Amino acid sequence: MSALARLLDVRPGPTDGSWIGPASGPDGKRAFGGQFMAQSLAAATRTVEAGKLPTSMHLQFLRGGEAGAEVDYAVERVYDGRTASARRVEASQDGRLLTTASVSFSVPLAGPEHGVVEVLPQDPDALARTGPVGPAPSMPLDEIDIRVVDDRSAGEFVRRLWWRVEVPLPEDPLLHDVVAAYVCDVYMIDPALRVHGHSMTARTHRSGTTDSSIWFHRRIRADRWNLLETRSPAAARGRAVITGSLFGADGAVAATLVQEGLVAER
């Protein structure tokens, strides 16, 4: 099993509805927010009947976590209907509540479809491999190809983050959704700083994600190229919002993402 698959593979805990997420390491470092997004989603999916896929997830970050420690997840079965289900997930370490999330599931239903672009803005294979835009000590970067392009050509700051997993993944669509929740969280708050000429790496501001949401529209293939295109439409009172669209290799919007983050002067 690859390092990424091990990290996102939660195991049953001691009580009904409890799950344990592996530590991401290294000790003494703050846990990456995408770990909580992905492991919370993974725990929720283990409690839903086959055929129901994630439609939305909303997670609130309450406290920072320890990267070197396992995470306890408690899943509450909020609702189970014929076509839809809902779960509430709480993550904690040593009894300290870190995150709380709500996850919705549904069986695929027939309906109108839109959200496809004819041509994606770049050929990712022609771009230099960059990795994330900042330190990421817990991410298995030898298994995830990340290429970042920042664009101001239209006057607005736009970040285009191309990514794909380079290790074999099972066909299970739930796993690919979990991987997307993990990767797409990486420094998504940074565009709010870039608008003003700052960055996460410069450490000029206190910054970090406070809320993260994702809506799943179409099947995600984590082992093929995906494009996360993000921008920050507003920031005030020490908070900023970032919106993103996740495109698959076919140009279809596979997911929509929104984050709120702390962006405050030190």
Side-chain angles (χ1 to χ4, degrees), residues 20 32 34 49 60-61 74 81 91 96 139 199 227 230 233 239 255:
I20 300 174
F32 167 44
E49 62 186 299
Q60 184 178 17
F61 293 92
R96 299 174 66 252
M139 289 190 77
S199 71
L227 168 62
T230 57
R239 292 290 191 274

Side-chain angles (χ1 to χ4, degrees), residues 104-205:
S104 299
F105 297 84
S106 176
V107 297
L109 302 172
E113 296 186 6
H114 58 271
V116 181
V117 297
E118 293 185 3
V119 180
L120 291 172
Q122 290 107 12
D123 174 9
D125 288 310
L127 301 174
R129 185 166 182 159
T130 59
V133 287
S138 64
M139 289 190 77
L141 295 177
D142 57 334
E143 299 181 1
I144 307 171
D145 188 347
I146 296 178
R147 310 185 185 201
V148 178
V149 177
D150 292 338
D151 183 11
R152 288 184 181 269
S153 61
E156 176 188 28
F157 180 88
V158 177
R159 165 156 294 155
R160 298 188 176 97
L161 187 150
W162 294 89
W163 64 271
R164 65 179 173 186
V165 173
E166 295 187 300
V167 292
L169 292 176
E171 285 294 318
D172 181 6
L174 293 174
L175 175 59
H176 289 251
D177 288 346
V178 169
V179 172
Y182 176 77
V183 176
C184 289
D185 190 80
V186 64
Y187 294 101
M188 191 173 165
I189 193 68
D190 194 55
L193 288 162
R194 294 281 184 172
V195 168
H196 301 279
H198 302 291
S199 71
M200 292 282 290
T201 55
R203 304 299 183 189
T204 56
H205 291 69

Side-chain angles (χ1 to χ4, degrees), residues 48-140:
V48 177
E49 62 186 299
K52 290 181 179 177
L53 301 176
T55 57
S56 67
M57 177 178 183
H58 311 281
L59 185 143
Q60 184 178 17
F61 293 92
L62 305 175
R63 296 184 178 96
E66 167 59 49
E70 292 184 332
V71 184
D72 297 314
Y73 293 92
V75 180
E76 178 185 351
R77 297 173 182 262
V78 177
Y79 174 76
D80 281 304
R82 184 173 60 86
T83 62
S85 291
R87 298 290 184 265
R88 182 177 294 114
V89 186
E90 293 184 347
S92 60
Q93 287 178 324
D94 295 326
R96 299 174 66 252
L97 182 63
L98 304 180
T99 69
T100 179
S102 60
V103 188
S104 299
F105 297 84
S106 176
V107 297
L109 302 172
E113 296 186 6
H114 58 271
V116 181
V117 297
E118 293 185 3
V119 180
L120 291 172
Q122 290 107 12
D123 174 9
D125 288 310
L127 301 174
R129 185 166 182 159
T130 59
V133 287
S138 64
M139 289 190 77

Side-chain angles (χ1 to χ4, degrees), residues 219-263:
R219 171 112 190 245
I220 296 172
R221 293 301 305 254
D223 51 359
R224 300 177 185 172
W225 279 119
N226 295 276
L227 168 62
L228 176 62
E229 187 172 280
T230 57
R231 47 181 50 81
S232 179
R237 300 190 299 186
R239 292 290 191 274
V241 168
I242 298 87
T243 60
S245 294
L246 180 65
F247 298 89
D250 58 356
V253 180
T256 297
L257 299 93
V258 177
Q259 277 195 2
E260 182 203 61
L262 172 72
V263 179

